[in-house]
Amino acid sequence: MGSQIHLTNAATGAAAGNGAHISMWHDDDLYITNQESDGMIKFSSGGNADALVIKDDGNIGIGTTAPASLLHLDSS
């Protein structure tokens, strides 16, 4: 078991599987999860400029607002 903050709005709905979660579980790891199927996780700085974007398909954009195919990390 652990603790979490559950964030929702009118667009995501308030169900347990909707919105975003910031969680700390018994394994002492921190989880930031966007439960929306088409949602991204964005880290921004200075005037909301995207510093890092993680898309739902695993692609990562660094210093850009369009990470469509900039970087893909896998086991190889």
Side-chain angles (χ1 to χ4, degrees):
M1 239 9 191
S3 300
Q4 71 175 264
I5 298 170
H6 182 199
L7 306 168
T8 64
N9 62 26
T12 65
N18 294 343
H21 300 263
I22 301 171
S23 309
M24 175 68 76
W25 296 108
H26 65 280
D27 59 6
D28 294 333
D29 291 336
L30 175 69
Y31 297 84
I32 300 172
T33 308
N34 184 344
Q35 294 293 112
E36 301 305 311
S37 62
D38 60 350
M40 295 185 244
I41 296 176
K42 293 185 175 189
F43 296 88
S44 301
S45 64
N48 292 329
D50 292 342
L52 175 70
V53 177
I54 305 171
K55 291 186 65 175
D56 61 323
D57 62 5
N59 283 325
I60 299 171
I62 300 172
T64 181
T65 58
S69 60
L70 296 178
L71 176 64
H72 180 75
L73 304 176
D74 61 27
S75 61
S76 62

